[in-house]
Amino acid sequence: MNKAKRLRELFSREGVIKIVGAHDGLTAKLVEHHDFDGVWASGFEVSASHAVPDANILTMTQYLEAASIMNEAVSIPVVADCDTGYGNSNNVAHLVKKYEAAGIAAVTLEDKKFPKVNSYIPGRQELASTAEFVGKILAAKNAQQSDAFMVIARLEALIAGWGQEEALRRAHAYVEAGADAILIHSKQTTPIEVVQFAQAWDFSAPLVIIPTSYPMITLDEVNRLGIKMVIYANQGIRASIKAINKVLAKIKAEGLHAVNDDIVPMSEVFKLQGMPEMKEHEKIFLTSEEEPVQVVILAAGAPRNQESLEPLLRDIPLACLDINGKPLLQRNVETLNKCKLYRTSVVRGYKKELLNIEGVDYIDNPKYQSEHVLSSIMCAESVLRGKTIILYADILFDGSLIDRLKSLEADFVVVVDNSFSKSLQRNKKLELVATKEALPRGDRVLTYDRLYNVERMGCQLPDERTCAEFIGVAMFSKKGIEIFKREYHKAYAEYRDKPLGEAPNVLRATLVDFLQYLIELGYNVKALQVNSGWMEIHTFENYKYACSMVSAI
Ligand code: SPV
Ligand code: MG
């Protein structure tokens, strides 16, 4: 529904319409977030935001631009304060065309002389003649294109001290001319004037008020008086001036650190700016020469056989472990970003609320306790598109490993390390890989990006077959990930109650179980051999070592 129709609908429904002053997209959005019915594009606020008096110092196009920005930022109707119409009835006809075309739901026009001065400024409050203002209303109603657009006539007779009788006389003339509502303005510090006006009014058009100087009036009273709309005209900008002053004074007196609790986090501003939506759009529309690579980090699992880390992991998931000033997950995501990998989804389960670093998407695996790694991967099915890298969350890796991996072309690649014999006492079920060809041994090996053919994967390979350890990093080509998903769905139907790899069923299967299954189906899984560029965090010793290896922050 267009916004003018929406506003009309609000006028035809029960209850008082509440709209709030704003001056830009951000403040308009805050009004919408607080569930008000509409935005008041306040001339006072827009002028103040330019640091000029509310006295028609700005031009019509500046007010229109501000109102359009507000309108684009929200889905609720915007009522634009158009002062006296920025000139005579010719200017009014022009502004109505422009404001209506910009999607503004209604305009208010006030019956003062151009240029106006804000109603609360004592002194010059000159009224236009009734005839002149009626001409403006007629011009406005004649210029509008759709029936829904509203023209609200604002009476300044009480502001100018001309009394109730004059106000009522003018109100009737404006309604005769076609005004869709009457805004009766008063600067008294009690509601007395608007109460008297409302009691004398015949309601040939609905009434609107701006209770800035008489805030004690309650919505119940407003309702009882039959007033249809209230405008909270400028409380937002006044609050922001107070808050900014407080923070700046504190920074000056105490330093930047003192104001943390007085300001919102950057993330809140990002949200208001629409950054999350932009990121979603980027995924779909931002194409580049290089094929984008999706990364999935598997961080759902609860601690398992990790006695030495148990006191730490009682409260946090492993990916949150602080590695020299930064969570493990954040270090890994920064490494991925350095490798130009920006699409990362993290699968969460155990203590999921603590996994909240910025710059990644989160996918929850509610069954992380009863199911296993393969299920976690498939929780991310909607993002498993194109070239995909899957990473365990309990390793720390460097960029060279990722750069090597992402340049490879094979459909299924697992990264393996054959320097694992020393670590066999790691109190962990190692995921082992046997390759058809012998892997090179020794500290100084030159393998370039040679890939080896995987013959078998699992935790229980016979000793003579064991060649290397799977490090928890795998890559799938665009075709590979499609095969992965397709075969998973077939396996899901078939292996609900029978073993898959070394797992009792598909729900309890690991990535390695499933890769072994793919090998058995005849797919060619390749191994990339590395002897450096990664470390696991499985024990407290690993953790201390990792902290000693990376630079602080
Ligand atoms: C505005 O907010 O610009 C108004 C209301 O017109 S008042 O300041 O009360 O005149
Ligand atoms: Mg105004």
Side-chain angles (χ1 to χ4, degrees):
M1 185 188 296
N2 89 18
K3 293 183 187 177
K5 282 199 182 132
R6 171 80 191 126
L7 186 63
R8 287 269 180 193
E9 190 195 80
L10 289 169
F11 267 93
S12 67
R13 279 211 318 228
E14 280 287 289
V16 179
I17 306 166
K18 297 171 283 292
I19 70 170
V20 179
H23 55 272
D24 58 13
L26 182 72
T27 49
K29 218 162 192 177
L30 293 175
V31 172
E32 180 168 31
H33 282 189
H34 286 273
D35 283 337
F36 285 99
D37 301 308
V39 172
W40 167 242
S42 155
F44 168 74
E45 284 208 16
V46 173
S47 303
S49 74
H50 286 70
V52 300
D54 179 19
N56 289 139
I57 306 298
L58 302 179
T59 62
M60 184 276 265
T61 49
Q62 286 175 296
Y63 290 114
L64 171 61
E65 187 180 9
S68 303
I69 290 170
M70 292 180 232
N71 189 43
E72 282 158 24
V74 298
S75 61
I76 51 179
V78 172
V79 177
D81 172 9
C82 290
D83 294 343
T84 61
Y86 313 115
N88 66 18
S89 54
N90 295 323
N91 301 78
V92 168
H94 181 64
L95 85 81
V96 165
K97 268 192 207 131
K98 292 294 208 183
Y99 275 73
E100 190 184 9
I104 303 299
V107 290
T108 63
L109 296 168
E110 65 193 60
D111 59 355
K112 285 208 298 246
K113 282 200 175 131
F114 175 83
K116 57 74 67 73
V117 182
N118 182 275
S119 306
Y120 295 100
I121 300 296
R124 179 167 67 82
Q125 291 294 344
E126 297 168 280
L127 290 195
S129 70
T130 306
E132 182 188 338
F133 195 67
V134 162
K136 286 184 179 177
I137 302 285
L138 289 169
K141 293 306 292 177
N142 187 51
Q144 76 183 61
Q145 300 293 306
S146 83
D147 290 343
F149 185 78
M150 290 179 73
V151 175
I152 302 172
R154 164 166 158 177
L155 280 151
E156 294 280 302
L158 302 178
I159 298 283
W162 288 36
Q164 290 287 345
E165 224 171 282
E166 175 71 9
L168 284 162
R169 197 181 58 74
R170 283 175 173 252
H172 284 297
Y174 302 162
V175 173
E176 276 293 291
D180 297 295
I182 292 292
L183 193 173
I184 178 68
H185 204 16
S186 163
K187 62 183 177 193
Q188 293 303 314
T189 51
T190 73
I192 177 98
E193 281 185 342
V194 296
V195 170
Q196 281 170 0
F197 185 90
Q199 282 167 349
W201 182 237
D202 65 0
F203 288 90
S204 49
L207 286 188
V208 181
I209 58 166
I210 308 180
T212 309
S213 62
Y214 49 94
M216 66 292 286
I217 194 166
T218 64
L219 277 176
D220 271 352
E221 266 176 280
V222 170
N223 206 13
R224 266 202 310 277
L225 288 164
I227 294 167
K228 192 63 203 164
M229 180 159 88
V230 286
I231 302 176
Y232 303 135
N234 54 37
Q235 288 68 28
I237 198 168
R238 288 159 64 193
S240 71
I241 293 169
K242 187 163 187 175
I244 294 170
N245 274 335
K246 181 178 161 199
V247 163
L248 296 184
K250 214 164 172 185
I251 293 173
K252 190 83 186 288
E254 299 170 46
L256 200 52
H257 69 278
V259 298
N260 249 352
D261 292 341
D262 299 314
I263 57 180
V264 297
M266 294 279 286
S267 57
E268 195 168 329
V269 187
F270 292 152
K271 261 197 217 143
L272 288 164
Q273 286 175 296
M275 186 57 85
E277 292 85 345
M278 191 189 93
K279 286 279 172 203
E280 284 306 307
H281 283 164
E282 268 185 9
K283 282 187 199 157
I284 305 166
F285 303 119
L286 201 66
T287 49
S288 72
E289 298 292 291
E290 231 178 280
E291 189 191 357
V293 179
Q294 173 70 45
V295 179
V296 175
I297 299 181
L298 303 170
R304 236 184 259 235
N305 306 325
Q306 286 164 303
E307 290 80 16
S308 60
L309 281 175
E310 205 263 340
L312 302 181
L313 300 185
R314 217 175 290 153
D315 302 323
I316 58 168
L318 193 139
C320 286
L321 275 182
D322 186 312
I323 309 281
N324 229 349
K326 262 185 208 167
L328 170 61
L329 178 64
Q330 188 174 340
R331 285 203 178 268
N332 284 339
V333 170
E334 284 174 12
T335 302
L336 293 167
N337 289 167
K338 275 192 208 139
C339 300
K340 300 206 179 97
L341 297 181
Y342 304 112
R343 293 184 180 189
T344 297
S345 299
V346 176
V347 183
R348 307 182 291 191
Y350 176 68
K351 308 259 178 224
K352 70 179 173 123
E353 63 287 350
L354 297 176
L355 280 168
N356 54 14
I357 68 152
E358 310 249 328
V360 298
D361 295 330
Y362 293 98
I363 295 167
D364 293 340
N365 177 2
K367 299 196 181 141
Y368 72 93
Q369 274 167 318
S370 57
E371 301 187 359
H372 217 310
V373 174
L374 184 61
S375 291
S376 274
I377 295 172
M378 291 310 292
C379 284
E381 181 168 8
S382 62
V383 301
L384 299 178
R385 260 182 279 118
K387 199 176 234 190
T388 303
I389 293 177
I390 293 181
L391 302 166
Y392 288 1
D394 63 351
I395 61 166
L396 187 61
F397 47 82
D398 69 27
S400 58
L401 187 151
I402 299 297
D403 277 333
R404 274 177 76 189
L405 187 63
K406 81 180 219 251
S407 68
L408 299 172
E409 293 301 334
D411 287 338
F412 309 94
V413 181
V414 288
V415 183
V416 304
D417 188 335
N418 67 348
S419 62
F420 71 100
S421 54
K422 305 179 219 94
S423 43
L424 268 179
Q425 308 85 10
R426 278 180 304 183
N427 186 23
K428 176 186 171 190
K429 248 182 26 188
L430 290 183
E431 295 187 312
L432 301 167
V433 178
T435 47
K436 286 184 186 147
E437 314 84 348
L439 294 171
R441 289 215 167 261
D443 288 338
R444 210 172 283 158
V445 290
L446 193 59
T447 57
Y448 289 101
D449 287 330
R450 176 162 177 202
L451 293 175
Y452 298 84
N453 291 296
V454 176
E455 189 164 40
R456 202 160 157 197
M457 300 182 75
C459 296
Q460 294 155 17
L461 300 196
D463 271 356
E464 67 282 7
R465 292 244 50 100
T466 302
C467 301
E469 164 189 8
F470 172 53
I471 73 165
V473 177
M475 196 215 45
F476 301 85
S477 69
K478 186 174 177 178
K479 180 172 151 215
I481 202 70
E482 290 308 319
I483 294 171
F484 188 98
K485 289 187 284 184
R486 196 174 63 233
E487 294 298 350
Y488 171 82
H489 287 293
K490 284 197 221 157
Y492 188 82
E494 205 180 322
Y495 290 86
R496 293 293 287 271
D497 300 310
K498 57 181 184 183
L500 183 91
E502 293 165 4
N505 57 49
V506 64
L507 300 176
R508 302 284 308 152
T510 63
L511 175 58
V512 163
D513 289 321
F514 193 63
L515 287 168
Q516 172 58 30
Y517 171 72
L518 291 181
I519 293 168
E520 284 163 21
L521 290 178
Y523 293 107
N524 194 353
V525 176
K526 304 275 189 188
L528 175 71
Q529 152 70 14
V530 298
N531 285 126
S532 62
W534 76 285
M535 64 176 72
E536 69 177 343
I537 317 265
H538 184 69
T539 63
F540 195 71
E541 275 305 305
N542 298 151
Y543 176 42
K544 275 200 312 199
Y545 183 56
C547 290
S548 74
M549 290 295 280
V550 298
S551 53
I553 306 292

